[in-house]
Amino acid sequence: MVGYSFMGAVHSHAWRTAPRFFDLPFAPELTALAGRNAAGVQVAADKFGWDSVETDWRRLIERDDIDLIDICSPGDTHAEIAIAALEAGKHVLCEKPLANSVAEAEKMTAVASSAAERGVYSMCGFTYRRTPALALAKRMVDDGRLGELRHVRAQYLQDWLSDADAPLTWRLDKSKSGSGSLGDIGAHSIDAAQWITGSSITGVSALMETFVKERPIGGDFIGLGGHGGTDGPRGPVTVDDAAIFTARFGGKTSDGGPIGVFEATRFALGRKNAMRLELNGTLGSLAFDFEDMNSLSFYDAAHEDAGFRRIIVTEPSHPYVGNWWPTGHGLGYEHGFTHQVVDLVNAISAGEQPAPSFSDALQVQKVLAAVEASAEAESRWQKV
């Protein structure tokens, strides 16, 4: 694995946990952890259970005892690492968004397609697909419970950057992260919406805003943000703090697909990780909020007097849930990453392309680029 911070910690937990709750065809071995800071990566390896460390990710590619590379580093590193790994015959799991540009994502997708022909597979880490409630929503849409879809309403609301003196981190540097709230959290909403509806976004009209133009360099880093000094030097914020856009989806009927409204912000005070998705169709509606991640709200138009029904997604028949706890004992954020490992390992064993593929992630990257292009052109309609 490359990287050992937030995503490195949760991915490490997933690799350790998956074979203990699911019957896997392969037993994952946490062979080597890579990071540039020798002392830091060693501490992380000891804490998370990795057998060895490297300070250059290229050494991972060269090692014969490694079959898969898990990329948890910032977006500006994804393309180089993923391409080198795939060309060396190693499977790849890459965190989202896939890259920092469409051009990089296209190169990665081309290499991934060629590697898949040799039985070497890759997957992008849009883990909200593995939340049982959202996986159940996907099943219900596929089963026709909502009828023809008309509206997609997606929000991803956080507040960890609301303090104007939160320190400048790599997530606020476009050269490293690619974008701000749009790519960091909005990408999840885009992927989830396209996956659940089964259709792609074909055009957007967007607004983007950076509320705080400069932030302290250094300070106390806590979680994703922290507290910077008010008297010291400040550096420029080069990404968006918030993004909103309307969208049209490609349709499966002559009437076209649903229309959508998307919002991503890290300035919504009081909202900690409100990844929300609502779908309205001709036969019913579904609504989900990750801050209440073990439930799904369903409205059946055939029983309109009953209103929305709250489904507690903890039954053994629900996606992934049967391998965990008794009914009513909910899951948490980390479980989606465990499910990601399960699906990836099973797909590799079966010789099948894991989902979401790099091609799926490329489609998300194209939507991100279209949103930025529209925002830069005074919200003019931009085709994807």
Side-chain angles (χ1 to χ4, degrees):
M1 187 166 73
V2 185
Y4 57 87
S5 188
F6 172 31
M7 280 298 103
V10 73
H11 278 233
S12 296
H13 179 277
W15 285 110
R16 287 199 314 270
T17 305
R20 289 168 171 79
F21 286 86
F22 293 80
D23 294 327
L24 298 182
F26 299 134
E29 297 176 355
L30 278 67
T31 303
L33 179 66
R36 290 173 295 182
N37 182 301
V41 72
Q42 186 63 63
V43 169
D46 293 341
K47 181 178 182 179
F48 301 145
W50 292 86
D51 292 340
S52 63
V53 299
E54 301 284 358
T55 55
D56 186 339
W57 61 263
R58 294 168 184 83
R59 302 292 83 79
L60 302 181
I61 307 295
E62 296 168 356
R63 288 177 58 161
D64 293 333
D65 58 344
I66 291 175
D67 302 303
L68 184 147
I69 304 293
D70 186 353
I71 304 171
C72 296
S73 46
D76 63 320
T77 68
H78 289 184
E80 185 180 11
I81 299 172
I83 289 172
L86 290 169
E87 289 180 340
K90 301 185 188 299
H91 308 292
V92 169
L93 171 60
C94 183
E95 259 302 326
K96 50 57 41 197
L98 186 62
N100 278 5
S101 69
V102 171
E104 283 184 341
E106 287 176 335
K107 291 179 182 177
M108 295 169 72
T109 301
V111 172
S113 177
S114 177
E117 295 177 357
R118 307 190 306 273
V120 178
Y121 296 106
S122 53
M123 185 170 81
C124 190
F126 285 108
T127 51
Y128 285 105
R129 291 188 180 203
R130 270 84 190 186
T131 303
L134 278 181
L136 179 61
K138 167 68 170 171
R139 180 191 296 176
M140 294 172 73
V141 170
D142 288 348
D143 288 345
R145 301 290 296 277
L146 268 61
E148 181 182 337
L149 295 177
R150 290 173 171 166
H151 289 285
V152 176
R153 203 166 291 108
Q155 294 178 312
Y156 203 143
L157 313 176
Q158 296 178 338
D159 71 353
W160 60 274
L161 274 177
S162 297
D163 180 358
D165 291 323
L168 196 65
T169 69
W170 70 265
R171 294 177 186 272
L172 303 176
D173 182 347
K174 187 175 178 64
S175 68
K176 292 183 173 62
S177 63
S179 65
S181 61
L182 175 62
D184 185 26
I185 55 180
H188 277 302
S189 296
I190 293 166
D191 178 72
Q194 294 186 136
W195 170 62
I196 290 178
T197 62
S199 59
S200 297
I201 294 172
T202 59
V204 299
S205 173
L207 278 174
M208 297 172 69
E209 183 60 65
T210 303
F211 300 116
V212 179
K213 314 295 185 186
E214 293 183 333
R215 290 186 176 275
I217 298 174
D220 297 322
F221 295 90
I222 304 170
L224 295 175
H227 306 285
T230 57
D231 299 326
R234 302 173 79 89
V237 174
T238 53
V239 299
D240 59 287
D241 287 329
I244 59 175
F245 64 94
T246 56
R248 180 171 291 282
F249 289 73
K252 298 179 180 179
T253 70
S254 59
D255 296 329
I259 57 175
V261 179
F262 290 75
E263 179 183 11
T265 180
R266 300 183 289 204
F267 275 69
L269 276 169
R271 302 300 180 191
K272 303 306 177 182
N273 199 44
M275 189 275 195
R276 300 169 168 177
L277 188 65
E278 181 170 326
L279 306 172
N280 308 128
T282 55
L283 300 180
S285 296
L286 285 169
F288 170 79
D289 186 338
F290 192 78
E291 289 188 344
D292 187 16
M293 65 170 288
N294 290 291
S295 73
L296 181 67
S297 295
F298 173 53
Y299 176 81
D300 186 347
H303 303 281
E304 59 182 27
D305 56 330
F308 270 92
R309 176 166 62 95
R310 185 167 181 253
I311 303 170
I312 305 301
V313 189
T314 59
E315 298 292 336
S317 60
H318 293 151
Y320 303 107
V321 177
N323 287 72
W324 295 105
W325 320 123
T327 297
H329 296 72
L331 303 187
Y333 173 73
E334 72 278 12
H335 289 84
F337 293 86
T338 301
H339 302 156
Q340 176 174 261
V341 166
V342 171
D343 290 345
L344 175 58
V345 171
N346 282 330
I348 291 172
S349 175
E352 299 173 351
Q353 173 59 53
S357 66
F358 277 16
S359 180
D360 296 326
L362 171 60
Q363 165 62 18
V364 175
Q365 200 79 44
K366 289 179 178 179
V367 176
L368 298 178
V371 169
E372 288 201 74
S374 174
E376 291 171 356
E378 299 181 327
S379 305
R380 285 196 291 274
W381 189 256
Q382 183 73 29
K383 290 184 178 181
V384 177

